[in-house]
Amino acid sequence: MRILIVHNRYQQPGGEDAVVSNESVLLAGHGHDVRMHVVSNDEIKGFGDKVSALRHCAYSIGSRNSLAERLASEKPDIVHVHNVFPLLTPSVYDACRAHRVPVVQTLHNYRIMCANGLLMRNGSPCRVCVDGTPYQGALHACYRGSYVGSAAVAHMIDRHRREGTWLAKVDRYIALSNFSRAEFVAAGLPKELVSVKGNVVFDPGPVEARIRRGGLFVGRLSEEKGVRDLIRAWNGLNVPLTIAGDGPLMSEVRAHASSNIRVLGRVDKSAINREMRRAAFLILPSTCFENFPVSVAEAFASGLPAVVARIGALADIVKDHETGLHFEPGDAEALRAAVRWADGHPAQMAEMGRVARATYERELCPEVNYRQLKAIYDAALDGARPIQIEAPSCDVLPEVVAFP
């Protein structure tokens, strides 16, 4: 099968970019002819570029024509779109329709219904644009605190909602969790078009028996990730914490570095793997509706349980007292209590880590992920009724069940 991957890369590489890379390698490893059609936000260099990107974020004729040329020359069997904002735009779907190439779209965030893509406003979950007009996002400057920018993104959402783009121009959607699938269905996507498949993470190898200690945060240092709650929770804790990542709150995080808090900044994947083999638990104090953080799958692969806020998909992916611990989002005291419990019960946390690793092997390993993805592609290619795939063990073929 010849697959064209379409993606608008971010200026600061994150989970979406990692997933695009991992899925491309996974598909190529199974003998598929994988081609890439990628643009980068690094092309947005100055004020003029920013204005142009926002002006055309609803529809770019140039992006449509550029993709049409690739489709004509390379003749893929299927196009898999990851991110189109802001440079590619939904115009790429029209290029695919014109060339009669099926489209699969992974829903990495909530941008088709929310200006900031997070379903969040003023530090709290917000769903007013799911059922109402997206121009409420413009009213509250939800996109980067800019009224003008938010109006441009709201226009993009509204235009394609009214034109039926999400209903008519995408053959299959991939939601990363049952939680996010329910949100997209509530926003109007037909449930029969949306399958659930988590992010793929490659196996770092067997988990060695060793003494682990402390917490590990991996991710963007931003408000919606609960970074300020994390720092507040660590006040008075005699537990080591390692923070890996970068973002707008880096200066605040570095100001709190101490003998107990180690700040690594942005590090490569091998360094993350090493830290996951040393820590006793991963920490995700997010206050936004997470879809499926790559760091959770990486932690499970490393036999690392997770201490997570009970919000969004995190509450489903991490089972309380089975593969980690839950605490109330936005509650630094509750996070502190969970960390104290985790640090004081190393045997129980180690057992949760073993269950986490077993969960990875059974549900999240590359072979299972490939079978799920291939089944979604096949359904898009033959126009069959969309599927729901259960995640079996890696040595068992997945059962394919039609949606009710």
Side-chain angles (χ1 to χ4, degrees), residues 341-354:
W341 192 97
D343 188 61
H345 296 80
Q348 289 92 327
M349 294 304 291
E351 177 58 26
M352 292 181 206
R354 285 189 285 272

Side-chain angles (χ1 to χ4, degrees), residues 2-4 35 69-78 99 101:
R2 179 170 294 175
I3 304 158
L4 183 63
R35 311 290 177 95
E69 291 177 4
R70 291 292 303 275
L71 296 173
S73 63
E74 301 191 19
K75 297 179 172 55
D77 298 299
I78 198 164
H99 286 265
V101 182

